[in-house]
Amino acid sequence: MQRILVSACLLGEQVRYDGSHKQSRHPILQQWVAENRVISICPELSGGMPVPRLPAEIASGEGGEKVLQRQTSVVDSSGADVSHPFIVGAQNALRIARLHEIHIAVLKEGSPSCGSHQVYDGSFKGHLVAGQGVTATLLRISGIFVFSEMEFNDAHNMLLDLEADGIASPISHKP
């Protein structure tokens, strides 16, 4: 049975910077939970960040790839560079995905870790720009299909395709 990596906040865990969650009640997620397919991850907590913590954004909204290449930073609202725990959290998420032979992740959109299509622009003014968070980037370049919480149907269709194909290795297919 294929497992799916899911952002902990989408599962109702109070792990966001402000101690809140973004629980999704999407029926596909509920089905996956009932089938014991879901592996929960909060990259920020996994990387050693506390709850609560200051909000963080990728400087200049440059995206996770630039953070992984050490060409930009994740900064918190006080201006402190918090890139290290974001990178460690991404590496931990990849390690967990490989351990469980995960091919699919559904992550929280907009997050500097988990954003799969958009991240905040680094101004702390609520502006989103096209880009990926640090964890989403690392998972994608490692061959894991990454979706946002608005793409549960697409993720489920991918899951059905992978199971039909009998896929066994999480890095055997590139997105």
Side-chain angles (χ1 to χ4, degrees):
M1 172 175 57
Q2 296 288 324
R3 300 215 183 231
I4 299 102
L5 193 67
V6 177
S7 291
C9 63
L10 295 176
L11 296 166
E13 296 178 40
Q14 295 177 313
V15 296
R16 289 175 45 86
Y17 73 93
D18 60 0
S20 69
H21 62 78
K22 288 288 187 174
Q23 185 170 15
S24 172
R25 300 215 184 270
H26 196 284
I28 289 174
L29 179 58
Q30 300 309 310
Q31 175 186 337
W32 291 345
V33 169
E35 294 171 349
N36 198 31
R37 289 182 182 272
V38 172
I39 303 293
S40 174
I41 182 72
C42 175
E44 289 96 335
L45 290 186
S46 177
M49 299 197 77
V51 175
R53 58 190 172 272
L54 292 175
E57 298 184 4
I58 299 173
S60 303
E62 294 201 47
E65 186 171 4
K66 297 277 188 177
V67 175
L68 290 168
Q69 295 170 348
R70 314 286 199 286
Q71 295 176 357
T72 196
S73 302
V74 181
V75 294
D76 69 22
S77 59
S78 76
D81 184 336
V82 292
S83 301
H84 181 73
F86 278 79
I87 292 169
V88 170
Q91 292 166 339
N92 289 339
L94 179 58
R95 187 174 34 79
I96 289 167
R98 287 181 171 158
L99 177 68
H100 293 281
E101 298 183 350
I102 289 173
H103 300 79
I104 297 171
V106 178
L107 305 177
K108 178 67 187 110
E109 190 63 83
S111 159
S113 284
C114 297
S116 60
H117 301 291
Q118 295 180 316
V119 294
Y120 288 94
D121 69 359
S123 70
F124 295 93
K125 294 180 181 176
H127 301 134
L128 288 166
V129 295
Q132 298 175 25
V134 180
T135 297
T137 298
L138 185 59
L139 294 177
R140 273 198 174 128
I141 64 177
S142 298
I144 295 170
F145 298 97
V146 178
F147 298 90
S148 79
E149 75 274 17
M150 285 133 342
E151 299 174 307
F152 276 110
N153 291 332
D154 294 335
H156 190 67
N157 288 336
M158 178 62 68
L159 173 67
L160 295 175
D161 288 347
L162 291 173
E163 287 188 332
D165 290 344
I167 300 302
S169 169
I171 58 173
S172 61
H173 282 60
K174 296 284 181 185

